[in-house]
Amino acid sequence: MLSYLLRKLLFSIPVLFGVTVIVFAIAHAMPGDAVLAMITAEAPSSEELIAMRRGELGLDQPLYVQYLNWIGQILHGNLGRSFVNGRSVGEIIGERLPMTLELMGVALLIAFLLGTTLGVISALRQYKLTDYSLTLAGFVGVSIPDFFMGLLLVYVFALELRWLPSSGISTAGDSFSLLDNLKHLILPAAALALFRAAIFMRYARAGMLEVLNQSYMRTAKAKGLRPSTITLRHGLRNALIPLVTVFGLALPTLFGGSVVIETIFQWPGIGLMFIDSVVNRDSPVIMGYVLITAIIVMLANLATDLAYSVLDPRVSYD
Amino acid sequence: MTDATAADMTIAAGASRGLWGEAARRFLQHRLATLGLIMLAIIVLACVLAPLIAHYGPNDIDLRGRNQPPGGMHWLGTDGTGRDIFARILYGGRISLTVGFVAVAISAAIGIFIGCVAGYFGGKVDLLLMGLIDMVLTFPRLVIIIAFVAVVGPSIFNTMVVIGLLSWPSIARLTRGEILALRNQEFILAARSLGTSPSVIILEHILPNVLSPILVAITLDVATVILLEASLSFLGLGAQAPAASWGNMLRDARTLSILESQPWMWIPPGAMIAMAVLSINFVGDGLRDALDPQHIMGGGGK
Amino acid sequence: MQGLSVEFGPHGSAVYAVNDVSFELAEGESLAIVGESGSGKSVTVQTLMGLIRKPPGRVTAGRALFRGRDLLAIPDSELRQIRGRDIAMIFQDPMSSLNPVLTIGLQLTEALREHQELSEAEAERQALDMLELVGIANGPQRMRAFPHQFSGGQLQRIGIAMALVCKPSILIADEPTTALDVTIQAQIVELVSRLQKQLGMAIIWISHDLSLVAGFVDRVAVMYAGSIVECADVDELFSTTTHPYTIGLLNSIPSLTAENTRLVPIKGTPPNVTLPPTFCAFAPRCDYAEARCREQKPPLETVNAGHTTACWRWREVDHLPRSPAAAQRVKPAGAAGQEALLTVTDLKVHFPIRRGVLRRQVGAVHAVDGVSFEVLRGETLALVGESGCGKSTTGRAVLGLERPSAGSIVFEGRDYAGATGEELKQRRRDMQMVFQNPFGSLNPRMTVGRIIGEGLRAQKIGTRATRDARVGELLALVGLREALRNRYPFELSGGQRQRVGIARAIATNPKFIIADEPISALDVSIQAQIVNLLDDLKVRLGLTYLFVGHDLSMIRYLSDRVAVMYLGRIVEIGTTASVFGSPLHPYTRALLSAIPVPDPKAGGTRRRIVLGGGVPDPSKPPSGCHFHPRCPKATDICSKVDPQPRDFGSTTTGRHLVACHHAGEA
């Protein structure tokens, strides 16, 4: 087990190295650099001034030196400064990450609970109307892009019914309250969750159907156990195991989804920050964002592996 | 061998349908798949034949008829600059579908190649390629595509290529897994024991048998990529104005007033995305059932 | 049970799984229901327990009275009270019939707590008693273990304990030993018989193996295509067999006592159960069939007290000879020459095990661990042993499909162990293989014609036209119609597929065939067809066989010499007559004594040696003689010194090598 963890961590070093190289390459290839971004603010400029500033920032050194410098900075926890407002990237991300994690976490929770419940119900009612309707709903669910879902939700619940706010994280001017925050959270989280709930539902249904055909379910029935005991104790536990993988796969797509949803709902998380930085070509922020998401996804994958070994006693990592 | 002659009597008389005939029959029995195929055919045809169907060009401006609700000459109304929504949807569909098919073609080619190499050679090559796959999968796909587009600049061509170049890992992984599973099948052993050469084994035994799951995955990938392109265009990083794509037509809806009072401008393109994706998903699901190797592998047991 | 009928699937195209089945079971009695796959035997008992899924299953008629209550009519909530408490069941595959993520303890106690509302501690105490009863040592610790931590034999013991915790009055055993090795099978049969007497319960034992049940049940019901065709006390059934199908089944099992007469298989293929049961389902395969059999379904008629049979012509059948087509075995026994075609010396195949952070090799599975034997031209050498003994790996290594770690393989005077490329390809023209799994060994996307012709294409033999002609010849040779040439494997039955596999193997006119368990995936009545085909081909084409298998009665029938393997080594090798007649290695003796005999009277007189424990892990073989931990004769020397093979043969019996320190002792 420990050896497995170590090996996994060891393997993530080259992956992390690759990630940083790609991030660095992207940032380097981006038109415009820190100096030009700053210079535009300080008119008038001359070639010497630019060259001097580049020297100060180490931009005239060979590429690999720049890369090593950058890595060194990162290892010290320094992600650089935004070209746009000069603030520390680490600080900006630290400020905004909780909002995104809140949004993603709630969405993932809704998606998992809703999807799994419906999937299991669907499997238990196989060949019945409930199953057919849920399966069809699942198809529709994975076919509606999350931003369109977001717009529809805003249109119906915020603009037509006026039940919920259409954007932001809290009502402007009011002091922060949890209830107010939750009201703002419902629509974006739902928009992000529904697509994924449909995916969870599909896998939960397939998993449960497979489990229902296993002979240990027949054994349980032959023992004369209650149907609820059979379904919950013998069925669900086994059906949940493959869902761990789906959980792991859903995470990276949630980051992508949150970029879009945060844009629609003006949710001040790192997704919105990322899109703004892309528009402004603010490469330190872009680099910081991509690096942070990659690291979070990697950690999440590790957690997924561990969850497997907890849920399934057959898995032994040696 | 007197006892043997009777052994093959159970096969009923009548011509064999063959494998593809059998698959086609199973596909057509799948009601949703047939529906999906019809829907998809209509959508594709309508987009291809856009100039014959729509009364307007995608960028024709009707100055007197801006912000018109559906009805009259403009079946689905017009947008803020007086362009016909219906025409824009058909022409926009060309872009969305093209991006979907071309990007998947690129990623499938890369994915199948890398998957075959990793699966067939195994060992160090496999380890290295799997590492690469893990690395690419560590990035959230949409995020890394956005970052790349930020570098190369947004355009339809770039969108297509970037999506194609970054979407291969899932197909590579699938191909590799299928090949690894097949390598231990007895019929591969049998072929080896007959002295069949490796290249013939790959061509005759492995490829035909890995093709169907890959085909299913590719079909479903087209749906995913259409969603991806729509997201990119919606963020303003895909197809650029004035060209229409389903995704960028929804950009207008970011304005609350349009979202609230001119739903004809954003609901139709959104619905088109959903319908196209839904029909492809139906087709993919039908293919999965129709090509399920269980039916031709036979399952033993009772 | 009265007149049970069960169908599956939609009304128009239903599968008629069980048709009008009736039987009785007295308190404390044991009844066997015997039939081939698809005969409806499992469906019958699962319906009784309310275990079939509805839909697609559907009970169309019948009653099942248990102490006056109709199990098919009472609501499921009441049936649930009976299930597990009064009627319990054990299943075929012990590995998959236990829940992999729950502990043994929980799975053992849950029925007790459900039915008897015991406290956790009390339930646990009773479960522990039961574990001890079925012979699982170290109970308290084992209760916390998960199913994957046990061997198949142990799991089946646990499955039995689980069924018996509530002390049921009926135990239904659904092929509980089919997935197990023959020595483990003997353990389980003995356990169940003992528990039956101890607990005084009635048993319904479902099996495909008439010989297995002959030894320990009171009564036997034979099922075919969903109907009981014959039912009688076990002695009566064997002495006065009346139904042609039962006769056919008995004739297709090689006898351990009778001399080598040719097997008489039941002709044709298993029945089609999608036709409404309005005629005798066995008629298409029956030698006695007449017009009436194809038009009307025969009712069960009484032959003697307690003996019923469903055949229109049973009175005539009774007077016909037991084996209507029995001819002397065509194979000229002992025709094999003395020249060695293949000589394997000290062959080893080890598979590395990698562990740890750096995936270093920490050990190896010693699949084949120093095996030497020779195959003489024209003979059939059988390689027998239980699963995991390395017999299949040996076969594959001989063909070059596994790379040997050490040793030499000399074929016609040339060593080609570790050969690659052209040399190996050359070898493979003379040497071919027939595989075990008739489903997995044929490429599902190739036509039968292409599959058979593959070797010809690979070896670039002949032109397209001559190859086509050759495929036609081969089809005829293995008894398949020319029309099957363009069919795909999924359109063929298991027996037909195995014929295709054989045709593919002989296409290049090889001298030597390795047959890797070619019949173990087939039904009993089809096995005999394939064995006869292999026999015929051997004579006609002058082949030499290395036959890998675990069915000892079949092997006795078809081989000239036998090599018995245990944990990667050959423990005994000699002529079939001497190995079966006077086995010298303790393992061979135990193995032979575990073979079920198709004779109910033999059960009492035969002394059965039941081995303790299971086969050890081949990555950590025991020191010295690999067999010593399970050996009844083991002494000190066995755990220290590797026994070398010694020859116990004589001039009349030929060489008879035994690797045991104690062989030959009184």
Side-chain angles (χ1 to χ4, degrees):
Chain A
M1 186 71 204
L2 197 70
S3 134
Y4 174 79
L5 256 181
L6 274 174
R7 194 169 79 242
K8 207 66 188 172
L9 280 173
L10 220 66
F11 267 123
S12 51
I13 291 173
V15 173
L16 211 55
F17 171 74
V19 168
T20 54
V21 168
I22 293 175
V23 169
F24 182 75
I26 290 175
H28 187 81
M30 196 155 311
D33 64 26
V35 177
L36 288 177
M38 280 188 273
I39 294 290
T40 42
E42 310 169 13
S45 63
S46 69
E47 287 295 321
E48 292 105 76
L49 186 65
I50 292 175
M52 195 186 80
R53 281 290 173 84
R54 286 210 162 127
E56 282 169 20
L57 288 167
L59 292 179
D60 55 350
Q61 284 173 314
L63 220 52
Y64 71 91
V65 178
Q66 288 187 39
Y67 171 75
L68 289 178
N69 285 340
W70 178 64
I71 289 286
Q73 292 291 310
I74 289 175
L75 289 179
H76 285 95
N78 186 358
L79 290 170
R81 290 184 175 277
S82 161
F83 291 164
V84 174
N85 53 26
R87 291 185 58 203
S88 148
V89 173
E91 211 177 287
I92 307 177
I93 289 179
E95 205 170 82
R96 287 172 163 245
L97 189 61
M99 321 279 187
T100 298
L101 290 183
E102 178 189 17
L103 177 64
M104 280 173 39
V106 172
L108 199 55
L109 197 70
I110 296 176
F112 177 73
L113 292 179
L114 187 70
T116 312
T117 315
L118 293 181
V120 169
I121 290 175
S122 184
L124 292 177
R125 308 227 138 250
Q126 199 191 8
Y127 303 124
K128 301 214 170 85
L129 189 64
T130 327
D131 178 34
Y132 289 126
S133 346
L134 281 174
T135 306
L136 196 64
F139 266 116
V140 175
V142 294
S143 302
I144 297 180
D146 37 25
F147 62 91
F148 186 50
M149 180 66 79
L151 294 174
L152 285 175
L153 289 176
V154 172
Y155 180 64
V156 175
F157 293 101
L159 300 179
E160 294 295 310
L161 297 172
R162 299 201 174 274
W163 289 351
L164 293 163
S166 66
S167 70
I169 190 165
S170 57
T171 311
D174 289 10
S175 59
F176 182 86
S177 82
L178 190 64
L179 189 72
D180 183 53
N181 178 233
L182 283 181
K183 269 172 124 178
H184 281 81
L185 181 63
I186 292 176
L187 288 184
L192 207 50
L194 285 175
F195 179 84
R196 282 146 194 100
I199 293 176
F200 274 113
M201 187 179 93
R202 273 186 168 188
Y203 282 93
R205 176 178 179 273
M208 195 68 192
L209 281 181
E210 179 155 349
V211 167
L212 287 177
N213 278 324
Q214 295 293 320
S215 52
Y216 55 77
M217 293 299 278
R218 202 178 48 189
T219 311
K221 202 174 172 196
K223 285 180 190 170
L225 303 179
R226 262 166 246 281
S228 58
T229 314
I230 299 176
T231 311
L232 294 178
R233 186 188 290 165
H234 289 271
L236 197 58
R237 178 75 195 279
N238 282 290
L240 283 182
I241 295 172
L243 284 187
V244 172
T245 311
V246 187
F247 217 94
L249 288 175
L251 250 158
T253 75
L254 264 179
F255 274 105
S258 73
V259 170
V260 180
I261 293 299
E262 287 181 13
T263 310
I264 293 175
F265 288 91
Q266 289 300 303
W267 187 266
I270 53 171
L272 192 59
M273 166 199 85
F274 175 57
I275 276 301
D276 288 343
S277 65
V278 166
V279 172
N280 296 328
R281 305 198 170 286
D282 191 350
S283 52
V285 180
I286 296 178
M287 284 158 85
Y289 174 81
V290 176
L291 202 61
I292 287 288
T293 52
I295 289 171
I296 293 178
V297 169
M298 250 169 66
L299 291 175
N301 283 342
L302 203 61
T304 312
D305 281 348
L306 291 182
Y308 246 113
S309 67
V310 172
L311 277 173
D312 191 342
R314 285 164 298 183
V315 176
S316 71
Y317 297 115
D318 52 24
Chain B
M1 250 142 292
T2 44
D3 48 282
T5 40
D8 48 5
M9 298 220 311
T10 43
I11 290 198
S16 164
R17 270 197 202 88
L19 292 179
W20 293 108
E22 182 65 21
R25 186 187 63 81
R26 299 184 53 80
F27 183 86
L28 291 176
Q29 264 183 0
H30 198 291
R31 256 178 283 172
L32 287 182
T34 319
L35 177 73
L37 197 63
I38 295 171
M39 271 166 63
L40 189 63
I42 293 175
I43 294 172
V44 170
L45 270 180
C47 292
V48 171
L49 302 177
L52 302 179
I53 300 171
H55 299 296
Y56 303 88
N59 294 320
D60 292 354
I61 294 170
D62 183 349
L63 283 174
R64 281 166 305 167
R66 280 185 290 186
N67 293 323
Q68 269 186 24
M73 284 304 286
H74 300 288
W75 293 348
L76 291 176
T78 56
D79 66 5
T81 40
R83 294 175 297 193
D84 184 60
I85 301 277
F86 182 68
R88 284 180 73 75
I89 281 185
L90 292 190
Y91 284 95
R94 289 176 160 192
I95 289 179
S96 296
L97 293 173
T98 311
V99 171
F101 289 116
V102 174
V104 170
I106 297 173
S107 70
I110 303 175
I112 292 173
F113 177 74
I114 292 191
C116 279
V117 171
Y120 193 78
F121 290 101
K124 293 230 166 60
V125 181
D126 183 34
L127 209 67
L128 201 76
L129 287 173
M130 284 310 285
L132 185 66
I133 289 173
D134 273 345
M135 197 168 79
V136 179
L137 283 179
T138 304
F139 290 111
R141 181 155 62 150
L142 183 60
V143 168
I144 198 74
I145 288 171
I146 291 173
F148 266 100
V149 168
V151 173
V152 295
S155 78
I156 298 161
F157 179 79
N158 288 347
T159 308
M160 225 148 49
V161 173
V162 169
I163 294 179
L165 288 180
L166 290 170
S167 302
W168 55 267
S170 58
I171 289 183
R173 187 177 264 202
L174 175 75
T175 309
R176 169 185 175 271
E178 289 288 328
I179 289 179
L180 286 184
L182 268 176
R183 277 212 313 199
N184 294 324
Q185 289 276 327
E186 280 192 343
F187 67 83
I188 303 284
L189 281 182
R192 281 174 56 204
S193 71
L194 290 164
T196 306
S197 66
S199 58
V200 176
I201 290 182
I202 294 184
L203 282 177
E204 282 199 1
H205 292 287
I206 293 183
L207 269 186
N209 282 297
V210 298
L211 217 55
S212 43
I214 294 175
L215 196 64
V216 173
I218 289 177
T219 310
L220 296 176
D221 255 20
V222 173
T224 319
V225 168
I226 288 178
L227 288 178
L228 209 56
E229 185 275 338
S231 293
L232 268 183
S233 293
F234 176 75
L235 290 171
L237 297 166
Q240 294 296 296
S245 91
W246 291 336
N248 74 10
M249 288 176 74
L250 277 152
R251 273 174 78 76
D252 291 343
R254 288 176 311 163
T255 316
L256 275 186
S257 61
I258 291 183
L259 186 65
E260 182 165 15
S261 47
Q262 283 137 346
W264 67 84
M265 287 188 200
W266 60 274
I267 288 184
M272 281 310 286
I273 298 172
M275 258 154 63
V277 172
L278 186 64
S279 60
I280 294 171
N281 279 333
F282 281 161
V283 170
D285 199 55
L287 279 179
R288 192 202 310 272
D289 280 1
L291 300 175
D292 185 352
Q294 215 59 51
H295 297 289
I296 56 168
M297 290 293 224
K302 304 177 209 179
Chain C
M1 172 69 73
Q2 295 170 342
L4 176 73
S5 295
V6 183
E7 295 174 10
F8 284 93
H11 279 281
S13 54
V15 169
Y16 300 89
V18 178
N19 311 309
D20 196 15
V21 163
S22 307
F23 59 82
E24 280 177 16
L25 183 70
E27 300 270 347
E29 186 190 26
S30 57
L31 167 76
I33 302 180
V34 174
E36 295 178 282
S37 55
S39 63
K41 54 191 193 302
S42 288
V43 176
T44 304
V45 289
Q46 288 187 17
T47 310
L48 189 75
M49 292 280 278
L51 294 182
I52 59 164
R53 303 268 297 270
K54 307 178 210 177
R58 179 162 77 239
V59 176
T60 48
R63 298 197 297 164
L65 298 177
F66 172 71
R67 292 181 176 153
R69 285 210 285 172
D70 183 358
L71 300 181
L72 303 181
I74 58 176
D76 198 66
S77 55
E78 273 176 61
L79 183 57
R80 195 164 63 71
Q81 302 293 327
I82 295 174
R83 272 202 301 258
R85 195 181 63 190
D86 300 311
I87 307 179
M89 195 160 175
I90 47 179
F91 297 93
Q92 177 173 351
D93 182 5
M95 199 61 96
S96 65
S97 57
L98 298 187
N99 193 329
V101 302
L102 302 178
T103 59
I104 297 301
L106 187 118
Q107 296 189 64
L108 272 168
T109 51
E110 62 181 355
L112 278 170
R113 304 195 64 191
E114 178 77 36
H115 293 300
Q116 304 180 353
E117 286 167 9
L118 298 178
S119 70
E120 198 171 328
E122 177 58 20
E124 208 154 287
R125 205 186 53 73
Q126 293 199 11
L128 279 171
D129 288 349
M130 195 48 79
L131 271 188
E132 202 184 322
L133 205 58
V134 299
I136 298 283
N138 209 354
Q141 196 192 329
R142 295 311 238 166
M143 293 274 279
R144 286 194 301 274
F146 291 96
H148 69 276
Q149 293 161 319
F150 294 86
S151 72
Q154 284 176 313
L155 279 182
Q156 198 55 292
R157 285 168 187 273
I158 292 165
I160 293 169
M162 218 170 269
L164 298 184
V165 275
C166 293
K167 311 270 182 334
S169 38
I170 301 178
L171 174 68
I172 299 175
D174 189 357
E175 304 222 32
T177 61
T178 307
L180 305 173
D181 275 320
V182 60
T183 57
I184 309 293
Q185 166 170 299
Q187 292 173 5
I188 298 293
V189 166
E190 202 190 62
L191 175 68
V192 173
S193 311
R194 178 166 60 83
L195 291 173
Q196 185 196 6
K197 291 192 192 85
Q198 225 167 327
L199 304 174
M201 59 191 170
I203 288 190
I204 302 178
W205 186 291
I206 309 292
S207 179
H208 66 278
D209 189 345
L210 204 46
S211 347
L212 173 70
V213 298
F216 65 96
V217 299
D218 303 324
R219 224 144 44 84
V220 178
V222 179
M223 280 187 82
Y224 186 79
S227 305
I228 291 185
V229 295
E230 186 161 12
C231 180
D233 283 352
V234 66
D235 295 339
E236 168 98 5
L237 187 82
F238 281 85
S239 58
T240 326
T241 319
T242 54
H243 196 281
Y245 175 63
T246 318
I247 295 173
L249 268 188
L250 288 171
N251 282 342
S252 50
I253 308 171
S255 157
L256 273 181
T257 46
E259 258 323 294
N260 281 345
T261 48
R262 186 176 164 86
L263 296 180
V264 185
I266 302 173
K267 65 184 182 182
T269 50
N272 179 352
V273 283
T274 56
L275 300 172
T278 54
F279 58 95
C280 176
F282 188 60
R285 303 175 70 185
C286 181
D287 286 330
Y288 306 103
E290 55 182 19
R292 182 163 53 152
C293 304
R294 296 183 191 95
E295 285 152 14
Q296 258 183 301
K297 186 184 159 95
L300 271 173
E301 290 180 41
T302 304
V303 178
N304 282 322
H307 184 176
T308 50
T309 193
C311 177
W312 291 117
R313 303 186 63 193
W314 66 267
R315 287 184 180 81
E316 299 152 63
V317 169
D318 198 13
H319 302 292
L320 289 164
R322 273 278 298 271
S323 316
Q328 277 304 303
R329 197 171 177 203
V330 285
K331 190 183 94 181
Q338 290 303 304
E339 177 208 352
L341 181 68
L342 173 82
T343 309
V344 173
T345 315
D346 209 20
L347 176 73
K348 289 184 182 172
V349 183
H350 293 178
F351 299 111
I353 307 171
R354 292 176 197 283
R355 281 230 176 83
V357 181
L358 298 169
R359 306 265 84 190
R360 266 173 314 148
Q361 185 177 339
V362 294
V365 175
H366 301 242
V368 180
D369 201 20
V371 159
S372 306
F373 61 89
E374 47 188 29
V375 185
L376 308 179
R377 197 179 287 276
E379 76 165 349
T380 299
L381 173 71
L383 216 48
V384 306
E386 298 178 279
S387 52
C389 72
K391 55 188 192 297
S392 287
T393 312
T394 306
R396 288 179 182 189
V398 167
L399 200 61
L401 290 175
E402 301 286 359
R403 188 168 280 276
S405 317
S408 72
I409 303 168
V410 177
F411 185 77
E412 288 191 316
R414 275 174 57 194
D415 184 358
Y416 67 98
T420 49
E422 264 319 295
E423 199 187 340
L424 198 58
K425 192 166 174 176
Q426 195 64 39
R427 244 325 120 250
R428 283 170 175 167
R429 195 187 280 230
D430 294 330
M431 199 188 263
Q432 272 309 315
M433 189 151 182
V434 176
F435 291 86
Q436 172 179 8
N437 181 351
F439 294 94
S441 62
L442 307 181
N443 184 341
R445 296 186 185 276
M446 276 193 180
T447 60
V448 167
R450 277 187 73 77
I451 291 172
I452 295 177
E454 189 179 1
L456 299 172
R457 290 196 305 279
Q459 301 279 357
K460 301 200 171 60
I461 296 172
T463 63
R464 202 192 171 102
T466 61
R467 285 200 291 260
D468 276 354
R470 173 76 180 142
V471 169
E473 267 172 54
L474 289 163
L475 280 169
L477 205 55
V478 299
L480 293 172
R481 278 180 301 135
E482 175 68 24
L484 291 181
R485 181 196 285 258
N486 295 317
R487 297 297 176 104
Y488 288 89
F490 77 100
E491 302 173 284
L492 270 55
S493 72
Q496 288 172 328
R497 291 171 193 225
Q498 209 52 301
R499 287 171 194 271
V500 173
I502 293 170
R504 170 176 63 187
I506 59 173
T508 54
N509 268 323
K511 297 171 183 144
F512 181 52
I513 299 274
I514 298 163
D516 186 4
E517 307 227 22
I519 55 170
S520 47
L522 303 173
D523 266 326
V524 181
S525 64
I526 308 298
Q527 287 188 353
Q529 292 178 2
I530 298 297
V531 167
N532 281 350
L533 173 65
L534 287 171
D535 241 6
D536 290 339
L537 292 174
K538 181 178 170 181
V539 175
R540 287 174 69 160
L541 306 175
L543 295 170
T544 302
Y545 288 136
L546 177 64
F547 190 97
V548 178
H550 67 268
D551 181 344
L552 291 153
S553 41
M554 219 29 125
I555 277 168
R556 177 192 154 106
Y557 166 75
L558 56 76
S559 64
D560 299 304
R561 290 194 308 130
V562 182
V564 181
M565 283 187 77
Y566 184 79
L567 216 59
R569 292 183 181 166
I570 291 180
V571 297
E572 183 160 4
I573 181 168
T575 61
T576 307
S578 52
V579 170
F580 278 77
S582 51
L584 293 173
H585 196 283
Y587 177 65
T588 316
R589 289 187 177 177
L591 204 58
L592 293 180
S593 81
I595 311 175
V597 182
D599 177 3
K601 298 205 177 70
T605 55
R606 240 161 38 108
R607 200 169 59 88
R608 185 172 268 166
I609 307 165
V610 176
L611 289 178
V615 181
D617 180 356
S619 65
K620 295 184 223 83
S623 61
C625 173
H626 284 180
F627 185 58
H628 83 262
R630 298 176 73 195
C631 184
K633 287 187 163 183
T635 53
D636 258 6
I637 185 173
C638 302
S639 59
K640 290 178 187 135
V641 182
D642 228 355
Q644 292 306 308
R646 290 180 288 157
D647 191 352
F648 288 87
S650 64
T651 42
T652 50
T653 57
R655 273 151 61 87
H656 184 172
L657 300 176
V658 184
C660 172
H661 294 297
H662 301 292
E665 291 170 9

